[in-house]
């Protein structure tokens, strides 16, 4: 690593550690937002939902802070290739976490629309899907913190289960809509929520792929997609 | 700008110009993918749709090349604050364009699923919405190329029209589904396509906001959201 301006290796490592800490904090908040949004939905808790929406600003603020610190680190320390790549990885991962936070916010925003809706049977699958997704997010960030390529592979493998949840929900909701046309509006919102969760799982996979690449220098082998022909589009 | 390693300002400007050129090329491809996907959908042209899906790899490849060049530029030229910010902007905008390409790909992927579907009346609004979105994407990238904050403001203002399209489509498709439960599967795919277009419009707005910030040093004033209470979630 570069010490061109007299700073020590230790100081640089501390800065990098701080950057990684911010990514971890941001990730923890996104994870909490996902499970919080799902709880708010299940309980039809409008106040909790509004808090999740508000919380997303904080996630965005941390992303801005990560960018600021990354820029400062590059400008001050003139890091060499490996360190530069690590800073870029923190930037990219924080961008992905920001998108996860957005999806959680979008789930929370649908809670008021669903408040008056009658119970829709497929809704019972959503919390289990949400837990699987939260677990993936946590595991992807743990893999990042530990720079562990094996853990990253496990994250990618678990995306299959999330895709299976989505496929089940997609079919169940469409059947439900056909049999109960008066629930179409509510079911459509649940469909979008399921799609948001599925996308969060994809993003956890993206993070795991970045972790793998950063740790090994190789792309993870292409994995087979879990979405079937009916629901695979998007 | 920094010339610490003996390189001239001109060489750095050329490198930066090349980076901006790659962003422009990537943006042009994403724009073409959006209109191509919509044409493939309207004509139920499976070959054209498959080509759009394939094309997305090229967009991803350019993003990787932009990252590679940005890293090289930072490492070789040790740019100062303003230039570093410009490099970071190119990285961020290419990340947004990659997401736009993803959405276009997702639209194209739904073409085979909709191939056998009967004509659904609200489908007729989609091409107009798609044109409005393509225009926004083009205008956001033109604003980036010209570093023009006024043009960036216009992009953000035009997002209202895209949101209005989405609201109309959302309502029209839900009504259509209730009246024709046998078209629910096809209508659901069209709903996801409309949502993809609406998200592309949001991303064009994001680019415009970055252009505005880079040019003026200020955040663009918060604009009122165009989505109404029914469709605003996500």
């Amino acid at each position: 690593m570069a010490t061109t301006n007299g700073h020590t290796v230790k100081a640089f490592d501390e800065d990098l550690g701080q950057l990684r800490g911010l990514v971890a904090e941001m990730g923890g908040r996104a994870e909490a937002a996902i499970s919080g949004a799902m709880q708010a939905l299940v309980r039809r808790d409008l106040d909790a939902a509004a808090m999740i929406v508000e919380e997303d600003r904080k996630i965005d603020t941390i992303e801005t802070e990560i960018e600021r610190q990354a820029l400062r680190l590059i400008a001050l320390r003139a890091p060499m290739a490996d360190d530069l790549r690590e800073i870029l990885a923190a930037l990219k991962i924080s961008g992905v976490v920001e998108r996860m936070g957005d999806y959680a916010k979008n789930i929370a925003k649908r809670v008021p629309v669903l408040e008056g809706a009658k119970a829709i049977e497929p809704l019972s699958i959503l919390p289990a899907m949400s837990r699987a997704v939260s677990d993936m997010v946590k595991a992807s960030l743990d893999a990042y913190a530990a720079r562990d390529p094996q853990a990253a592979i496990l994250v990618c493998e678990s995306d299959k289960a999330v895709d299976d949840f989505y496929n089940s929900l997609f079919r169940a909701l469409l059947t439900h809509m056909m049999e109960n046309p008066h629930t179409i509006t509510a079911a459509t919102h649940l469909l979008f929520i399921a799609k948001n969760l599925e996308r969060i799982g994809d993003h956890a996979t993206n993070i795991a792929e970045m972790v793998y690449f950063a740790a090994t220098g190789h792309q993870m082998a292409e994995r087979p997609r879990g979405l079937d022909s009916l629901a695979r589009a998007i």
Side-chain angles (χ1 to χ4, degrees), chain A:
Chain A
M1 74 134 275
T3 54
T4 45
N5 48 12
H7 287 282
T8 63
V9 173
K10 190 158 170 291
F12 182 84
D13 280 351
E14 275 170 12
D15 284 343
L16 210 53
Q18 203 178 355
L19 202 60
R20 296 177 72 91
L22 280 171
V23 174
E25 186 196 339
M26 200 182 163
R29 282 178 187 268
E31 212 187 301
I34 297 162
S35 35
M38 190 49 55
Q39 280 195 1
L41 175 70
V42 169
R43 298 179 188 161
R44 307 283 204 274
D45 184 339
L46 269 59
D47 290 338
M51 262 180 57
I52 303 287
V53 173
E54 192 52 41
E55 255 284 303
D56 190 53
R57 284 170 195 268
K58 179 69 190 163
I59 294 177
D60 293 350
T61 306
I62 302 176
E63 192 198 12
T64 307
E65 178 60 21
I66 288 171
E67 278 171 20
R68 208 186 57 77
Q69 289 208 14
L71 273 177
R72 194 185 59 90
L73 209 53
I74 295 171
L76 275 183
R77 313 281 195 208
M80 308 271 245
D82 279 359
D83 292 327
L84 199 51
R85 253 194 292 277
E86 169 131 13
I87 295 170
L88 194 69
L91 279 174
K92 288 191 71 166
I93 291 174
S94 68
V96 176
V97 173
E98 187 269 330
R99 289 161 78 169
M100 292 175 165
D102 254 9
Y103 283 118
K105 178 179 75 176
N106 292 336
I107 293 173
K109 275 186 169 181
R110 288 187 198 274
V111 173
V113 192
L114 286 162
E115 193 200 4
K118 292 258 159 51
I120 291 184
E121 191 268 323
L123 179 55
S124 60
I125 312 179
L126 268 182
M129 181 179 182
S130 174
R131 269 191 300 278
V133 168
S134 287
D135 288 349
M136 272 187 82
V137 172
K138 186 175 187 321
S140 69
L141 292 160
D142 287 349
Y144 168 67
R147 308 172 200 211
D148 181 344
Q150 293 308 314
I153 291 175
L154 291 179
V155 172
C156 294
E157 285 174 359
S158 60
D159 194 35
K160 171 80 172 67
V162 171
D163 289 348
D164 288 344
F165 269 122
Y166 177 70
N167 288 338
S168 299
L169 259 166
F170 185 88
R171 276 199 225 90
L173 281 168
L174 256 59
T175 307
H176 188 89
M177 286 155 99
M178 287 179 211
E179 289 168 358
N180 310 278
H182 61 285
T183 65
I184 279 178
T185 304
T188 299
H189 286 293
L190 291 179
L191 204 55
F192 276 123
I193 290 172
K195 173 51 81 182
N196 284 349
L197 288 174
E198 190 261 333
R199 293 293 291 161
I200 294 173
D202 282 349
H203 288 323
T205 302
N206 292 345
I207 291 177
E209 285 167 350
M210 289 179 210
V211 169
Y212 187 90
F213 181 74
T216 67
H218 299 288
Q219 301 286 351
M220 206 181 285
E222 283 269 318
R223 73 209 159 87
R225 298 289 305 171
L227 299 183
D228 66 20
S229 60
L230 183 65
R232 73 196 293 180
I234 205 186

